[in-house]
Amino acid sequence: MSATDQTPKKLSPVLHWALLSCGFIALALALIGIFLPVLPTVPFLLLALACFARSSARIYNWLLDHAHFGPLIRPYLQKQGIPRATKLKAIALLWLSIGLSVVFLLELL
């Protein structure tokens, strides 16, 4: 599904620029989230995609077709969610980090 499939509604210039600004801010936060593990990437990409869907079909399609961002957000648009292997890796890393924290960061009694 692309933004051009929908009938575009005429937005007020203020709303158009507000959505574009919000989309670019969300995209910047997603870029930062790639390098910072505490900041999620995909939710910010989805927010940017939603803002661009209403304000700019060209940027919306660019984001969907992007080599790095497209594969992260396409499964959500196709109602597939997170792949099972990714979920298992995330849960395994979570438990590993909890285990290592318990072993190395708690003082021995």
Side-chain angles (χ1 to χ4, degrees), residues 7 17 25 28 48 60 71 81:
T7 56
W17 286 105
I25 290 169
Y60 175 89

Side-chain angles (χ1 to χ4, degrees), residues 37-103:
V38 295
L39 194 64
T41 301
V42 175
F44 287 118
L45 284 175
L46 292 173
L47 176 62
L49 197 67
C51 292
F52 293 141
R54 298 260 336 258
S55 61
S56 173
R58 184 175 59 87
I59 300 173
Y60 175 89
N61 290 326
W62 171 81
L63 195 55
L64 275 180
D65 296 333
H66 193 273
H68 298 291
F69 298 139
L72 290 174
I73 53 182
R74 267 188 238 113
Y76 289 95
L77 294 178
Q78 297 166 349
K79 307 240 188 282
Q80 295 173 349
I82 301 172
R84 184 178 301 260
T86 304
K87 289 179 193 177
L88 292 175
K89 287 177 191 174
I91 292 171
L93 284 172
L94 175 72
W95 281 105
L96 179 67
S97 64
I98 290 172
L100 290 175
S101 297
V102 167
V103 169

Side-chain angles (χ1 to χ4, degrees), residues 9-24 51-52 54-57 59:
K9 295 180 182 178
K10 188 68 176 171
L11 297 176
S12 70
V14 173
L15 183 58
H16 174 76
W17 286 105
L19 285 170
L20 273 177
S21 300
C22 181
F24 282 118
C51 292
F52 293 141
R54 298 260 336 258
S55 61
S56 173
I59 300 173

Side-chain angles (χ1 to χ4, degrees), residues 23-38:
F24 282 118
I25 290 169
L27 187 59
L29 289 172
L31 282 170
I32 293 169
I34 291 172
F35 302 104
L36 292 178
V38 295

